[in-house]
Amino acid sequence: MNLSLKFRWTVFAVWLATVPISLYMVYHYFPPPTYIDWSELIGFIVLAIITAIFPFVINGVPLFFMQWVNLAVFLKYGLFIELIIFQIALIPFLYRAKLLKLSLYRLPWNSIMFFLVSFISGLFYIVIGGEFGSLSIPHIVLFGMVYLFINTFVNHVLLKLSLIVMKKRAPFLTKDDYWDYNSMLFTFPMGLTLYLLSEYVGPIAFVLLGLPFLIVTQILRLYSTSERVNEYLSLAAHFGHQLGDRLTSDEVVDLFMDKTIEIMPVNHAYIIDIVNGQLQFLRSHENGVTTAVNISHENILKTPIKEIMNTEQTIVYNQQSEWIDMGIGFLPFATQSIVMMPISRNQKMVGILLLASNKKKFLEEYKIRILDIFCSYFAVSVERSRYIEATLNKSERCGLTGLYNYRYFEEQLTIKMQELMDGEIRQLSLIMLDIDHFKLINDTYGHQSGNSILCDFARTLEEEVEGKGLLARFGGEEFVILLPNMSKGEALHLAEEIRMNVQLKLFEIGSDLSLNHIKEHVTITTSVGVSTAPEDCDKPMALIRNADRALYVGAKQKGRNRVAEYLKT
């Protein structure tokens, strides 16, 4: 969440006005012991820093068990020393959070919170009669448990209050909060043991407890990483199956982008296609919104992408300073870390996945490896879907004009007629067009020129019909247009517009019957028949026959270059 500059400076001002003077007041009213073993105190500080740097990681969630060290320090030295050590441990704790400049206010903010937690729980301990330096087991167990519970409770309350101040909504008790309270089962005995060992055996206590603590944190970290890797591998397998179910390349690309954003903690994601050596954006997603990025190939190469084009290997930048000299280009200014991964097929890079975050070092190594698996699935699925699309196009499209063929048109006509019968659409019109004297064109200029006329005629129809209905080549020089929810009057008006525009258009041909293939311009005309259901019929083939009858009887036989409607006799 972006907080105002005024708020951030206010936090710094409040810290300066409260924490230093409060530490002085605590020192004055609750002074530390007159004798302090500095080697032992340094051991406590080192141990506190270690607990801040190496948290327990369970289910991918870091848990900072600093309270066991703070409990031992508090019982031994009192409130002031515990406050100081807690503030020192705050520095590595926040360093792990990889704070950006805009988030530096969290340093004084958390310092104030840590101070209040220690002060309130420590003051409560003193008020109820707790003593420092006591070796009475009943005393330190009872009062130590009360201190630790109050410490955890105050931390919980202050955390919820801070979320309210920052206008963030969260329930009072969450799963993480239960973990905090349950963690007392670990921190309390560990803290008491550290306190007693330091009293009886001295600095060796830090080795006896600190080393096992460090080993356990690393074991749990490795175990948690292993669990997460297994989880992600399972997701990758499921993801591969999902991609395999998609038939079109657009569906594959959309699913890949959605799943990548869902699984990986990114602010920005881009899929860049490589077509004939040229880079172009296939999909772009920034801050939760799908965006359009229109940048030329040359300008894309003025960004960090030029590095992966040279190496064709995964490149990771952990912070902005590592890549900013190469230019920022399309990347949002707040971007810090970047992962660029090649999308390869048959050992050739055919695309690039670029993920970016406003945080430093946002992806762990194992997630990058999982992402590589995702990209492999993606490359295979895109190739497969494009092959399917090409196969479908061959079966559904006319090889010459690129329009839908008669077989596909007949299927769609049957579907639309059924929708009409079911009341899903109100009317269904059909326009049938035939190029006048087309045989004469072939005989005069050759079949290649005739084919050129057919293709140009198809492009003209596409411009006229765009978005209105389904256009197909019916056969030879005949074309059909299927128009759902269009009345006969509207269809006749469209047909007349098409007829007039075709008559006025100059079609360029290069006569393949002449020796020099000189380019020529010719004009053509078209005859058109129109029929509409349910007025004229209620069967698919009847609609075609009616339009065909209108074309030949009403237009062709009456002089051509005209539009005719089917009339019941």
Side-chain angles (χ1 to χ4, degrees):
M1 178 179 180
N2 294 324
L3 298 170
S4 67
L5 182 63
K6 180 180 179 181
F7 176 85
R8 295 196 294 268
W9 278 111
T10 300
V11 173
F12 279 98
V14 170
W15 183 88
L16 285 172
T18 56
V19 174
I21 191 170
S22 297
L23 284 172
Y24 172 78
M25 297 298 291
V26 171
Y27 178 82
H28 181 75
Y29 289 103
F30 307 102
T34 54
Y35 172 76
I36 295 177
D37 184 340
W38 285 98
S39 62
E40 191 175 66
L41 184 59
I42 291 172
F44 276 113
I45 294 173
V46 171
L47 197 56
I49 292 173
I50 288 174
T51 59
I53 295 176
F54 299 102
F56 283 25
V57 180
I58 301 175
N59 293 328
V61 179
L63 300 175
F64 296 88
F65 288 130
M66 293 185 289
Q67 287 175 312
W68 70 284
V69 180
N70 295 332
L71 175 62
V73 171
F74 180 77
L75 293 174
K76 189 174 184 71
Y77 295 113
L79 180 57
F80 178 76
I81 299 296
E82 192 272 342
L83 279 169
I84 295 297
I85 291 181
F86 211 172
Q87 294 291 313
I88 292 173
L90 173 66
I91 298 173
F93 173 77
L94 291 179
Y95 175 77
R96 280 187 56 85
K98 303 179 182 70
L99 297 181
L100 303 175
K101 289 182 180 179
L102 293 177
S103 301
L104 287 178
Y105 73 91
R106 287 181 56 188
L107 187 60
W109 179 272
N110 281 273
S111 176
I112 294 171
M113 286 187 59
F114 279 25
F115 179 88
L116 289 173
V117 169
S118 295
F119 180 77
I120 294 172
S121 54
L123 188 63
F124 189 87
Y125 176 88
I126 294 170
V127 168
I128 63 175
E131 298 177 0
F132 302 113
S134 172
L135 295 177
S136 170
I137 299 300
H139 180 88
I140 60 176
V141 169
L142 176 61
F143 287 92
M145 177 58 78
V146 172
Y147 164 80
L148 195 58
F149 176 81
I150 296 298
N151 188 283
T152 303
F153 179 75
V154 172
N155 180 67
H156 177 203
V157 172
L158 290 178
L159 179 61
K160 300 305 176 183
L161 289 175
S162 70
L163 292 175
I164 293 174
V165 171
M166 295 182 183
K167 298 179 181 180
K168 294 181 179 179
R169 294 183 178 181
F172 186 73
L173 282 174
T174 64
K175 186 177 180 180
D176 291 342
D177 297 325
Y178 287 116
W179 270 108
D180 286 338
Y181 286 105
N182 288 332
S183 69
M184 288 190 295
L185 299 174
F186 171 83
T187 53
F188 181 65
M190 284 287 289
L192 289 188
T193 303
L194 178 61
Y195 167 62
L196 293 172
L197 274 179
S198 66
E199 285 289 335
Y200 288 109
V201 303
I204 192 66
F206 304 117
V207 178
L208 293 175
L209 288 178
L211 188 59
F213 175 85
L214 188 58
I215 292 173
V216 170
T217 59
Q218 296 309 302
I219 291 174
L220 281 176
R221 182 186 297 272
L222 291 173
Y223 175 77
S224 178
T225 300
S226 175
E227 288 289 301
R228 296 289 285 175
V229 168
N230 290 335
E231 179 184 345
Y232 273 83
L233 285 173
S234 176
L235 286 172
H238 181 61
F239 178 55
H241 291 306
Q242 287 181 305
L243 285 175
D245 292 337
R246 299 305 187 270
L247 295 180
T248 68
S249 56
D250 281 342
E251 289 177 339
V252 171
V253 172
D254 289 338
L255 177 64
F256 177 72
M257 178 65 88
D258 292 343
K259 285 297 182 181
T260 300
I261 295 169
E262 177 185 330
I263 294 171
M264 303 297 172
V266 300
N267 295 101
H268 323 293
Y270 308 90
I271 301 174
I272 301 165
D273 206 4
I274 302 175
V275 182
N276 298 324
Q278 298 292 303
L279 298 172
Q280 58 187 34
F281 282 86
L282 197 59
R283 290 290 188 281
S284 306
H285 197 277
E286 296 178 354
N287 295 315
V289 178
T290 299
T291 59
V293 179
N294 297 311
I295 302 179
S296 67
H297 170 79
E298 291 74 18
N299 286 331
I300 293 175
L301 290 180
K302 294 178 182 178
T303 70
I305 290 175
K306 65 182 179 182
E307 291 298 309
I308 193 172
M309 290 296 291
N310 293 331
T311 64
E312 295 193 8
Q313 300 292 325
T314 297
I315 295 176
V316 179
Y317 295 115
N318 290 318
Q319 55 189 359
Q320 194 181 87
S321 59
E322 296 177 6
W323 58 267
I324 192 66
D325 291 341
M326 287 178 272
I328 196 165
F330 58 90
L331 293 169
F333 186 75
T335 300
Q336 280 290 329
S337 49
I338 298 173
V339 172
M340 294 183 294
M341 183 164 291
I343 300 171
S344 301
R345 187 171 62 249
N346 299 327
Q347 298 182 336
K348 179 183 178 182
M349 187 168 74
V350 295
I352 298 168
L353 173 66
L354 189 151
L355 303 180
S357 173
N358 297 341
K359 296 181 179 179
K360 298 176 181 179
K361 199 175 182 181
F362 73 108
L363 281 185
E364 297 92 332
E365 181 63 30
Y366 76 89
K367 287 186 179 179
I368 295 175
R369 294 177 182 176
I370 297 296
L371 198 59
D372 188 38
I373 297 175
F374 281 15
C375 287
S376 297
Y377 283 141
F378 175 61
V380 172
S381 298
V382 167
E383 183 179 28
R384 171 183 168 275
S385 63
R386 287 176 177 171
Y387 175 78
I388 292 174
E389 287 175 335
T391 303
L392 286 174
N393 279 337
K394 288 181 180 178
S395 65
E396 296 175 351
R397 298 276 181 173
C398 162
L400 175 64
T401 63
L403 299 181
Y404 287 112
N405 57 27
Y406 174 76
R407 185 185 66 80
Y408 181 79
F409 171 79
E410 189 177 33
E411 291 175 356
Q412 294 302 308
L413 174 61
T414 302
I415 292 171
K416 292 301 178 184
M417 187 62 77
Q418 187 59 50
E419 290 180 3
L420 177 69
M421 295 298 100
D422 294 340
E424 296 178 23
I425 56 177
R426 63 181 186 275
Q427 287 174 303
L428 183 62
S429 291
L430 190 148
I431 298 175
M432 181 174 286
L433 309 97
D434 180 89
I435 299 176
D436 295 329
H437 303 297
F438 187 71
K439 184 177 182 302
L440 182 61
I441 295 173
N442 281 334
D443 293 343
T444 305
Y445 300 103
H447 288 281
Q448 189 61 40
S449 295
N451 288 342
S452 178
I453 292 288
L454 289 173
C455 291
D456 288 349
F457 186 69
R459 301 290 81 76
T460 302
L461 294 179
E462 283 180 329
E463 293 174 5
E464 298 291 338
V465 179
E466 184 180 12
K468 299 183 180 73
L470 175 71
L471 171 63
R473 185 183 180 192
F474 194 70
E477 66 271 24
E478 289 186 331
F479 297 78
V480 285
I481 305 169
L482 189 62
L483 302 162
N485 282 326
M486 184 173 286
S487 67
K488 181 177 283 188
E490 292 170 327
L492 287 168
H493 178 72
L494 175 61
E496 181 60 25
E497 283 188 345
I498 293 173
R499 185 198 66 78
M500 290 179 60
N501 288 336
V502 169
Q503 181 181 3
L504 296 173
K505 182 179 176 68
L506 290 175
F507 290 82
E508 184 181 275
I509 59 173
S511 175
D512 48 311
L513 297 183
S514 63
L515 295 176
N516 49 11
H517 298 285
I518 297 174
K519 297 289 183 182
E520 296 184 43
H521 290 89
V522 299
T523 59
I524 63 173
T525 60
T526 181
S527 298
V528 189
V530 178
S531 180
T532 301
E535 294 97 316
D536 300 335
C537 61
D538 58 3
K539 300 293 182 183
M541 296 311 297
L543 189 63
I544 293 177
R545 285 195 300 271
N546 291 342
D548 188 47
R549 179 176 177 78
L551 168 65
Y552 282 94
V553 176
K556 289 281 188 183
Q557 293 181 6
K558 292 185 178 181
R560 295 183 173 83
N561 189 25
R562 64 182 62 211
V563 175
E565 64 176 303
Y566 173 77
L567 298 173
K568 288 185 177 181
T569 56

